[in-house]
Amino acid sequence: LSRQTLHNYRESYRLFGVNGLLHGYSPSRSVSKERQGRLHVGQRRPGSKARELEAFRRTEKSLTEEVTQEELAWDGEATASYALEETAIEEVVRVDRPTTEEVLGVDPPTGEAMPVGDEPIRSAAAEQISPERAPAPVIELPYAENHDWEASRYAGIFPVLLVLMSQWQWMERLFRLFGHGWRIFHVFVLMAVRNIRSIEQLKHERREEAGRLLGLGRLPALDTLWTWFHEVADKSRAGALLKEFFADQIRCGRVGARLWFTDGHLLPYTGQEKVHAAWSTQRRMPMPGQTNLVTCDERGRIVTFEIQEGKGDLRAQILKLGEYAREQSLGTPPVQVFDREGDGLEFFSKLVRSRTPFITWEKNANQARLMALPAADFTHRVQINGTEYRLLEETRACLYSPETDPDTGTVEPAHAFDLRRLVLWNLRSHHRISVLCWEGDLQLSPEVVLTAMLSRWGASENTFKHIKARHPYHYHPGFGLAESDKQDIANPRIKALAQQIATIQEHLAKLYKQQAKTQPRFNQDGSERNNSRHRRLAEAITVSETQLKPLQSDKAQLPERVDVAGLSDYRSFKAIDNEGKNLFDFVTSSVWNARRQLLDWLDDSYAKESDRVDLLYAIFNCHGWIRSDERWVVVRLEPLQQPARRYAQEQLCRKLTGLGARIPGGKWLRIEVGHSPV
């Protein structure tokens, strides 16, 4: 390579980015490079890149020598348009002449500084000239490029985008919080619907077809996608986005408020850093990672979620949900349904005191007592998922006595309350299990309590397993680690002492057993013989008991948990940054809830309930065509083959078009079913 060639490469990268180094060939195994050149000849700029750079440098030189500084602020439009011709369509930004307030990051109406992340992006060329005349880019609008009918393998994604834009105010919320960062959220929608498990896997997708359907013009390269992601994550607005989104769902009635099911799910971590361990239910062992506490309604729609470090605190999350429901002024509080992890008198007392109704399994129930209950006492009959159940209801009296406060020495009064206990008898397996319930003033029937307890466990639908199978639910883009606030661990000294105590106690048990089987031996004068086996065992027992007492005393005085900073050979715990994970899960939750809405709309036109989910995912995988003009963005899906499915597909598209979705910029969205318009 000559010096001039290296210089041209560097200047191409500086002026046009990575796209300036590409040659217009798309990777393909079945098409030769010669044919690729013929296919892309209309997409490449003719001529030599060296000649283009020479002309560009000559233009810059003439502008610098002949044009005044004031004219340079805006008369470089020809130069800017020349540079934009080599830039990918997703990086093209409409440039208007800015005001002084916009360039300085000041809000014109108030004169106050703009929030962090809302200030206009300044290019390197704009920083070299006066701030008053530097051009400020405007947020790129979706589907800004007008084009005739173009084929796309990703047309089936459009129903989800249409629902999000019309029902969830998707674009307005993203524009306000992230500006042109909406682009990475549309890429996440593509990943969620098509089950693309990581950003790196997007390199296998058809960039022109996917980008055109998402409103980006063209899906960029991986480095640009990661730049988009980090620009959005660096604004640290995931918390505000989730809080606003969850509250809006409840306020608009898009999620149920009668029953809320909360469960924790492992988010594994496989890196080299030391993080807290969460519990893996499948492996029945702790694993490094986090716990995602997800709350769903009775239809499987996600109400809210929170990622917690280590095992997480399900009980605190349930109490927080009860308070959250009261803040939303729901009137009738939702019933919190959770599994055995929340069992405990102290926790039940807190729920009753806070007037939070709940339903849960009874932990450590007396199985012998349940099986001894007479069959005649099971009076209620319920059938769920083809399984017959019988119910018996009784009352469990509870009395919680708080412990003495070590700081003040005061003791709170005991709390007495009653819980409903329902015993379930599975007639198919002949297994019996008990459920505890406190409903306040709701007066739930036994059938409702049983249906609520079994609707997310056992043989019923498990929302989280379905999410994991059909969507990249565990994907964590952009791992970041920081020092954790939780640096305490179980005292290792207690564990070591416990092992020593267990060893001595096991040895003592053997000695006791041997001594019980050994008879003492006596001398002729009636005294016990010194060398008898019984005497030796007694002395060994005395020695072991003498060793055991100080160990037990030392263990009782040690603190249960210690800080790892005060220990040798211990690394500090790291906390995983969940900003990017929250943003990705926001998209996953939105797509999942939109999926549930689409299934409800298919209910009237497709009677086969067992096949309705497969029908919806068949629509998601449909190919089609897209057209964009000054007024409309129209997507046409290829028709499904079966007449019943095609009818449901057409009715769903009519329903979606009737929503009247309109995006920023004034374009209306329409979806239809038909044959190729090309």
Side-chain angles (χ1 to χ4, degrees):
L1 296 178
S2 65
R3 185 186 300 273
Q4 185 62 47
T5 302
L6 295 176
H7 177 74
N8 290 341
Y9 285 170
R10 187 183 65 179
E11 291 300 304
S12 297
Y13 181 78
R14 182 179 67 85
L15 296 174
F16 310 128
V18 176
N19 297 279
L21 301 177
L22 303 179
H23 299 286
Y25 295 107
S26 62
S28 176
R29 299 180 180 178
S30 60
V31 185
S32 64
K33 289 188 175 181
E34 290 78 11
R35 186 181 177 188
Q36 286 289 333
R38 293 194 301 270
L39 291 175
H40 296 85
V41 65
Q43 303 178 9
R44 299 181 57 192
R45 290 185 55 83
S48 172
K49 184 62 67 76
R51 297 294 178 264
E52 296 178 7
L53 293 174
E54 182 182 357
F56 189 79
R57 287 193 295 270
R58 188 181 299 112
T59 304
E60 282 187 331
K61 184 176 180 181
S62 62
L63 285 172
T64 306
E65 294 178 352
E66 301 175 5
V67 183
T68 63
Q69 187 71 13
E70 181 177 0
E71 294 172 342
L72 181 61
W74 190 244
D75 288 344
E77 182 177 0
T79 304
S81 62
Y82 181 88
L84 292 177
E85 289 178 0
E86 279 293 323
T87 309
I89 188 65
E90 70 278 354
E91 297 176 1
V92 177
V93 179
R94 181 170 58 87
V95 181
D96 295 330
R97 186 161 188 165
T99 62
T100 305
E101 292 81 5
E102 292 174 337
V103 176
L104 296 179
V106 179
D107 190 11
T110 62
E112 299 177 354
M114 292 183 179
V116 177
D118 289 345
E119 64 274 13
I121 301 176
R122 299 179 176 86
S123 62
E127 293 178 354
Q128 298 176 1
I129 59 180
S130 58
E132 292 82 0
R133 298 179 176 87
V138 178
I139 296 176
E140 177 190 355
L141 298 178
Y143 306 100
E145 180 187 10
N146 296 334
H147 56 82
D148 202 357
W149 288 107
E150 297 287 348
S152 176
R153 294 172 175 84
Y154 306 91
I157 303 174
F158 199 70
V160 176
L161 287 172
L162 202 152
V163 171
L164 294 177
M165 294 180 186
S166 60
Q167 301 291 298
W168 270 267
Q169 290 76 43
W170 178 267
M171 297 307 301
E172 292 81 356
R173 183 174 291 114
L174 296 182
F175 268 55
R176 177 165 41 83
L177 291 176
F178 301 102
H180 58 263
W182 63 268
R183 299 173 296 185
I184 193 62
F185 289 92
H186 276 212
V187 176
F188 285 165
V189 171
L190 168 66
M191 296 175 59
V193 177
R194 299 301 289 264
N195 199 11
I196 301 173
R197 295 282 166 168
S198 66
I199 292 179
E200 284 74 14
Q201 290 186 9
L202 290 170
K203 64 184 179 182
H204 302 297
E205 305 303 319
R206 303 281 180 168
R207 296 184 181 179
E208 290 79 6
E209 299 180 14
R212 192 178 299 117
L213 195 281
L214 297 176
L216 305 175
R218 184 177 186 272
L219 197 65
L222 295 182
D223 56 345
T224 305
L225 290 175
W226 280 114
T227 301
W228 290 358
F229 169 75
H230 288 297
E231 287 177 355
V232 171
D234 290 344
K235 295 184 178 181
S236 301
R237 297 181 180 176
L241 175 65
L242 293 177
K243 182 178 180 181
E244 179 181 334
F245 173 69
F246 294 146
D248 183 68
Q249 284 191 133
I250 297 175
R251 182 171 57 254
C252 298
R254 296 190 177 93
V255 294
R258 191 173 76 108
L259 298 172
W260 283 2
F261 303 83
T262 304
D263 198 5
H265 302 274
L266 172 68
L267 297 177
Y269 171 75
T270 56
Q272 298 180 351
E273 299 294 337
K274 183 179 180 181
V275 299
H276 286 283
W279 181 257
S280 174
T281 305
Q282 287 75 17
R283 297 188 178 184
R284 296 185 177 182
M285 61 180 293
M287 292 181 59
Q290 302 178 103
T291 300
N292 194 0
L293 295 173
V294 187
T295 302
C296 296
D297 65 0
E298 52 192 312
R299 299 298 301 276
R301 295 167 291 193
I302 297 178
V303 178
T304 182
F305 67 85
E306 181 177 340
I307 302 176
Q308 295 186 0
E309 190 177 0
K311 291 182 61 177
D313 193 346
L314 176 65
R315 300 182 179 184
Q317 181 70 4
I318 297 296
L319 293 172
K320 187 187 301 183
L321 287 172
E323 182 63 28
Y324 179 73
R326 286 186 287 272
E327 292 177 357
Q328 299 301 321
S329 302
L330 296 178
T332 303
V335 181
Q336 307 293 335
V337 187
F338 48 91
D339 57 11
R340 290 181 178 86
E341 186 179 348
D343 185 273
L345 278 180
E346 181 181 2
F347 180 51
F348 292 159
S349 175
K350 291 180 180 179
L351 290 174
V352 174
R353 289 177 185 270
S354 60
R355 308 294 298 175
T356 302
F358 66 91
I359 302 173
T360 184
W361 300 110
E362 184 178 16
K363 190 175 182 180
N364 300 325
N366 190 338
Q367 190 65 28
R369 174 187 171 275
L370 297 181
M371 297 303 297
L373 294 174
D377 294 344
F378 291 83
T379 56
H380 299 276
R381 293 176 177 266
V382 179
Q383 183 176 3
I384 300 178
N385 290 339
T387 303
E388 290 284 344
Y389 294 91
R390 289 188 181 180
L391 300 179
L392 178 151
E393 182 176 355
E394 56 187 12
T395 301
R396 173 184 168 181
C398 302
L399 178 64
Y400 170 65
S401 301
E403 298 180 355
T404 305
D405 190 349
D407 298 331
T408 61
T410 59
V411 181
E412 296 182 3
H415 181 208
F417 54 96
D418 293 333
L419 299 179
R420 292 175 61 186
R421 178 193 281 127
L422 282 79
V423 182
L424 281 61
W425 181 13
N426 189 329
L427 298 182
R428 184 179 61 182
S429 62
H430 301 287
H431 181 68
R432 294 183 181 181
I433 195 170
S434 56
V435 174
L436 296 178
C437 170
W438 186 86
E439 75 275 90
D441 301 329
L442 299 179
Q443 297 181 355
L444 302 176
S445 64
E447 292 79 4
V448 172
V449 175
L450 171 63
T451 305
M453 197 68 240
L454 294 178
S455 56
R456 283 297 173 269
W457 288 277
S460 303
E461 178 191 2
N462 191 309
T463 297
F464 313 104
K465 292 180 181 178
H466 285 279
I467 294 178
K468 183 180 177 181
R470 295 186 180 270
H471 301 278
Y473 191 65
H474 281 176
Y475 180 52
H476 195 307
F479 262 103
L481 296 171
E483 290 291 331
S484 174
D485 296 333
K486 297 168 55 179
Q487 295 292 344
D488 60 321
I489 62 172
N491 195 335
R493 179 60 179 164
I494 292 181
K495 183 177 180 180
L497 290 176
Q499 292 177 351
Q500 296 181 23
I501 292 173
T503 302
I504 295 176
Q505 288 177 341
E506 183 180 359
H507 181 61
L508 275 173
K510 293 181 180 179
L511 294 178
Y512 289 145
K513 186 181 296 185
Q514 293 176 4
Q515 188 186 36
K517 295 180 180 180
T518 304
Q519 298 296 329
R521 301 293 181 178
F522 300 98
N523 296 319
Q524 292 182 356
D525 58 359
S527 61
E528 185 177 1
R529 299 180 61 178
N530 293 332
N531 60 348
S532 66
R533 177 177 174 79
H534 187 272
R535 185 69 173 267
R536 293 197 305 270
L537 290 174
E539 292 176 354
I541 290 174
T542 303
V543 173
S544 297
E545 290 178 345
T546 305
Q547 296 174 352
L548 182 63
K549 289 182 180 180
L551 294 177
Q552 292 176 336
S553 177
D554 294 342
K555 180 185 175 183
Q557 295 177 1
L558 291 175
E560 294 185 0
R561 305 189 69 83
V562 294
D563 195 328
V564 297
L567 302 176
S568 60
D569 300 330
Y570 273 86
R571 292 184 299 167
S572 60
F573 288 100
K574 300 293 184 179
I576 301 174
D577 179 20
N578 292 313
E579 184 71 19
K581 176 62 175 173
N582 284 328
L583 294 175
F584 187 80
D585 281 0
F586 158 73
V587 177
T588 307
S589 302
S590 303
V591 170
W592 182 260
N593 291 351
R595 162 197 176 275
R596 183 69 258 177
Q597 183 66 65
L598 292 171
L599 286 173
D600 292 342
W601 287 339
L602 284 173
D603 190 10
D604 297 334
S605 56
Y606 197 74
K608 193 175 181 180
E609 183 178 0
S610 60
D611 193 39
R612 199 172 297 148
V613 174
D614 291 336
L615 168 61
L616 180 62
Y617 282 96
I619 296 175
F620 287 167
N621 289 298
C622 281
H623 295 190
W625 303 265
I626 180 172
R627 183 187 68 189
S628 177
D629 55 28
E630 296 294 338
R631 185 180 179 187
W632 290 94
V633 176
V634 185
V635 172
R636 179 176 295 181
L637 301 179
E638 60 179 4
L640 298 176
Q641 294 183 358
Q642 297 89 340
R645 285 193 166 198
R646 186 185 307 118
Y647 173 76
Q649 180 189 24
E650 294 172 352
Q651 294 299 319
L652 178 63
C653 290
R654 293 192 182 100
K655 173 68 175 180
L656 293 173
T657 302
L659 296 176
R662 192 175 187 181
I663 60 176
K667 292 188 178 183
W668 298 85
L669 304 181
R670 186 171 80 234
I671 186 170
E672 57 189 29
V673 179
H675 297 284
S676 173
V678 180

